[in-house]
């Protein structure tokens, strides 16, 4: 007989918010409409849901085509395992995502609202509304790293701007736990500089590493075109090609930030062992992007089952058996 699915396997927490399962969607993926949000919430294989990053008011986003999956290396499988996007923040506005929080009312699934104002003032305006609205929201993820807004640099790459944004944020907002979504960093000095800023804010609950690797270019060599239209074809990269960068960011921030700030791993999770890799590097939970874009909501079941199989084979029965346990291979010299 088929084994029964145990809902509360591998419980974890993010900023003290309990999740039964350490797996959920990345902001932007399967979370723009209330229908998509309900599908993530109703899946027995997710532990939380985060909304599409929102602005105060509805935005259409960039012109189409603005998302494409691709296969960076030839394989006989039809499935794409990488992606490029320049969505440009299409969303239904803050009100819509506050209302949609009702979808979790009779569940114990955390509902995170992701915000991404066009300006610091817009972020603060949204936070002051969130501060005073009675809803079922569990936490707020402030996106400091959208790579696709024409003419707007990523706040996470400007450490003074990030510092000032966080200073204003925590001066104003304490209603729910708040975390930030960071861009990928590529140099240890930048891990140090970002951590020095983040450590100044004791109320910061988590950091999500990483957003897509910004402004890559993927070429369709047969058609001699770019895959997407906005910004001359430049867009944020996701999927298997970003996993090493994501893991380096997770591990580097885990090593630098105080233990009460959780790390949420995001980037390159295409199979169950990828979850284990993020946890080994210190993530408390993971978000999944490209896989869900390419396989749909059923991707969560596949991932969960593969992760569960890995854990059983290793003889592990909880996240604490693996979280942060990565060892640097010993030198043979
Ligand atoms: O909407 C987007 O273009 C987008 C966002 Br806000 C983001 O944070 N990351 C991304 O890859 N795309």
């Amino acid at each position: 007989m088929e084994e029964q699915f145990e809902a509360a396997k591998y419980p974890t927490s993010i900023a003290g918010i309990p999740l039964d399962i350490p797996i959920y969607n990345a902001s932007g993926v399967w979370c723009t409409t209330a229908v998509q949000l309900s599908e993530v919430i109703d899946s027995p294989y997710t532990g939380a849901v985060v909304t599409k990053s929102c602005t105060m008011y509805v935005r259409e986003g960039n012109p189409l085509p603005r998302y494409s999956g691709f296969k960076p290396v030839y394989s006989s499988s039809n499935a794409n395992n990488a992606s490029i996007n320049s969505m440009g923040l299409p969303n239904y506005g803050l009100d819509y995502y506050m209302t949609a929080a009702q979808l979790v009312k009779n569940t114990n699934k955390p509902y995170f609202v992701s915000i991404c104002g066009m300006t610091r003032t817009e972020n603060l305006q949204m936070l002051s509304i969130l501060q005073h609205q009675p809803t079922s929201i569990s936490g707020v993820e402030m996106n400091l790293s959208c790579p696709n807004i024409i003419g707007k640099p990523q706040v996470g790459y400007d450490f003074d701007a990030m510092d000032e944004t966080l200073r204003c944020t925590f001066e104003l907002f304490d209603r729910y736990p708040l975390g930030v979504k960071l861009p990928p960093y590529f140099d240890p000095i930048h891990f140090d500089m970002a951590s020095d800023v983040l450590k100044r804010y004791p109320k910061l609950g988590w950091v999500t590493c990483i957003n897509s690797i910004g402004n890559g270019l993927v070429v369709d060599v047969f058609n001699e075109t770019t895959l997407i239209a906005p910004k001359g074809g430049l867009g944020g990269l996701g999927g298997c090609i970003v996993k090493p960068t994501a893991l380096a960011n997770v591990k580097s921030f885990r090593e630098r930030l105080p233990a009460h700030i959780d790390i949420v791993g995001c980037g390159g999770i295409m199979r169950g062992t990828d979850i284990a890799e993020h946890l080994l590097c210190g993530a408390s939970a993971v978000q999944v992007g490209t896989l869900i874009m390419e396989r749909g909501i059923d991707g969560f079941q596949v991932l969960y089952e593969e992760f569960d199989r890995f854990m059983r084979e290793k003889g592990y029965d909880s996240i604490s058996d693996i979280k942060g346990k990565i060892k640097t291979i010993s030198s043979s010299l």
Side-chain angles (χ1 to χ4, degrees), residues 24-270:
Y24 60 115
N25 66 300
S27 175
V29 176
W30 223 270
C31 59
T32 301
T33 66
V35 170
Q36 292 174 330
L37 289 163
S38 336
E39 286 178 344
V40 177
I41 293 161
D42 294 344
S43 165
Y45 304 97
T46 61
V49 65
V50 57
T51 69
K52 170 68 186 165
S53 291
C54 67
T55 44
M56 265 301 288
Y57 304 108
V58 180
R59 263 180 72 89
E60 276 195 12
N62 291 340
L64 304 178
R66 58 194 185 183
Y67 172 88
S68 181
F70 65 99
K71 274 197 290 184
V73 176
Y74 176 78
S75 84
S76 53
S77 150
N78 284 330
N80 291 316
N81 54 11
S83 65
I84 182 164
N85 88 84
S86 182
M87 305 299 289
L89 205 39
N91 76 90
Y92 289 106
L94 177 64
D95 254 353
Y96 182 91
Y97 298 105
M98 287 194 313
T99 307
Q102 288 165 6
L103 295 168
V104 290
K105 226 175 183 171
N106 300 316
T107 76
N108 62 349
K109 217 163 261 196
Y111 181 96
F112 296 101
V113 172
S114 171
I115 61 167
C116 187
M118 287 294 108
T119 58
R120 184 179 303 144
T121 307
E122 188 180 358
N123 273 327
L124 297 176
Q125 201 181 353
M126 289 192 279
L127 288 169
S128 63
I129 292 168
L130 286 160
Q131 176 76 10
H132 297 110
Q133 289 289 322
T135 72
S136 308
I137 292 167
S138 314
V140 173
E141 182 170 278
M142 188 157 60
N143 184 350
L144 300 179
S145 48
C146 176
N148 300 330
I149 305 302
I150 295 156
K152 293 269 174 201
Q154 294 172 72
V155 176
Y157 285 141
D158 177 339
F159 298 117
D160 291 336
M162 181 158 87
D163 196 10
E164 185 58 9
T165 296
L166 290 172
R167 192 187 65 73
C168 298
T169 292
F170 289 113
E171 215 170 78
L172 175 88
F173 185 78
D174 58 7
R175 173 75 185 273
Y176 311 107
L178 182 139
V180 289
K181 178 128 175 210
L182 296 177
Y185 299 102
F186 302 94
D187 191 303
I189 191 75
H190 294 147
F191 294 134
D192 292 340
M193 290 168 82
S195 303
D196 285 346
V197 170
L198 299 168
K199 280 192 285 194
R200 283 181 205 139
Y201 299 96
K203 288 195 270 180
L204 182 67
W206 70 94
V207 298
T208 301
C209 307
I210 55 171
N211 208 320
S212 56
I213 297 186
N215 299 296
L217 180 62
V218 184
V219 171
D220 176 341
V221 74
F222 294 106
N223 290 312
E224 303 181 9
T225 65
T226 62
L227 290 190
I228 57 172
K231 289 176 82 175
L234 271 56
L237 301 173
C240 67
I241 49 175
V242 312
K243 188 178 72 173
T245 301
L247 293 174
N249 277 258
V250 168
K251 182 171 183 288
S252 300
F253 281 108
R254 184 62 292 155
E255 287 166 354
R256 285 165 175 77
L257 295 177
H260 73 268
I261 301 179
D262 283 299
I263 315 291
V264 177
C266 181
I269 293 176
M270 308 304 293

